[in-house]
Amino acid sequence: MPTANKEQIEARMTEALESFGADRDQIKREADWESLDIDSLDLVELAQIVEEEYGVKMREEDMKELKTVGDAVDFVAERAGS
Amino acid sequence: MILEGKRLLITGLMTKQSIAYAAAEQAQQQGAEIVLTSFGRARRLTERAARGLPETPDVLELDVNEPDDFAALADELGSRWGALDGVLHAIAFAPEDALGGRFLETPPESAVQAFTTSAYSLKALAASLAPLLEEAEAGSVVGLDFDASVAWPVYDWMGVAKAALEAVARYLARDLGPRGVRVNLVSAGPIETAAAGGIPGFDKLAAEWQRRAPLAWDTGDPSPVAGTVCYLMSDLSRGVTGEIVHVDGGYHAMGAPLA
């Protein structure tokens, strides 16, 4: 699995969230899912992307703790060995 | 290869954690040719997960609440294969207020929605595909169940819908048996799928399994459930219909926690 730094992970997540219909200008570390119009189905897809590309499993119970874009980026960065 | 040459339709594959994913994977390994269904926004997820299968199958549209979709699906499968050897029903949904411990307050519309999407849909799927299943040598319909003979914490109207699913399967077995089509359910132990994530209190249920099931039960591994699905799709089960096979580590047979 390729290592990735936090900036790369944030860029990849921003791209994914934008593809789910979130407004690019609104995608910031402190933005929460609701403000981005990201629902549970989008989060399931995000978890699949993260697992495929970084080998990081985001389980349902982890997801519940991750309220913002920044939370998710940090979660993945910590576990992706960057 | 117990499914050599079988043509199977698999619904409900959303992620790699789906029971339907494990079933699709094992079916292909056992020689089956498969087609998936998905709908609406879940389709992107289905297509992403499908790329991880040994062979990437086509994904057809099926919203079980859209009557027209069934006819279109049957037409497409008819022109593709002319007959269908088996179909896996892995579809369930309950609105938020029908699950999670508010059983006494759930409005009738929500209870009905759980029933229609999770139980009636087995009839809708089986009936629309029956002409194709009949064309096969031994058509098989398999559905996914969670033991509905008892009440569970938080499962609420989904549990009622599963009880209905069990009854629907028996009546389908009655009506399709004379046409050479079998109908069976697999009653699975708790598996950590995207759907299970929507069940509040799932963790407590999973923990209870560790205390009671005599066989080790891994909530992260749907492959034992998928194995039984493949058996029920295969000719090895040609004398079996109207049956509920428990793939739950033996939980259902125990009267109390083991320790």
Side-chain angles (χ1 to χ4, degrees), chain A residues 19-20 39 41-42 44-45 48-49 51-52 59-61, chain B residues 14-17 41-42 44-45 48 192 194 197-198 203:
Chain A
S19 77
F20 302 157
D39 67 10
L41 205 56
D42 294 322
V44 169
E45 186 162 359
Q48 299 295 308
I49 291 172
E51 187 172 347
E52 267 173 40
R59 293 150 46 102
E60 193 69 27
E61 59 202 72
Chain B
M14 225 169 98
T15 69
K16 285 189 178 173
Q17 288 75 42
R41 289 181 47 222
R44 253 195 357 216
L45 274 168
R48 173 180 296 280
E192 285 171 49
D203 291 350

Side-chain angles (χ1 to χ4, degrees), chain A residues 5-66:
Chain A
N5 63 37
K6 201 173 267 193
E7 288 69 37
Q8 288 167 325
I9 291 167
E10 189 166 337
R12 180 65 186 97
M13 283 210 182
T14 301
E15 184 194 331
L17 294 170
E18 203 184 358
S19 77
F20 302 157
D23 184 346
R24 177 146 209 142
D25 300 334
Q26 302 287 318
I27 307 173
K28 303 192 172 72
R29 279 188 58 86
E30 60 277 13
D32 62 30
W33 307 124
E34 207 179 326
S35 72
L36 295 172
D37 228 1
I38 293 296
D39 67 10
S40 62
L41 205 56
D42 294 322
L43 291 179
V44 169
E45 186 162 359
L46 186 66
Q48 299 295 308
I49 291 172
V50 163
E51 187 172 347
E52 267 173 40
E53 298 184 13
Y54 302 111
V56 176
K57 271 198 199 312
M58 295 170 90
R59 293 150 46 102
E60 193 69 27
E61 59 202 72
D62 301 324
M63 279 299 199
K64 281 180 195 132
E65 304 300 315
L66 308 175

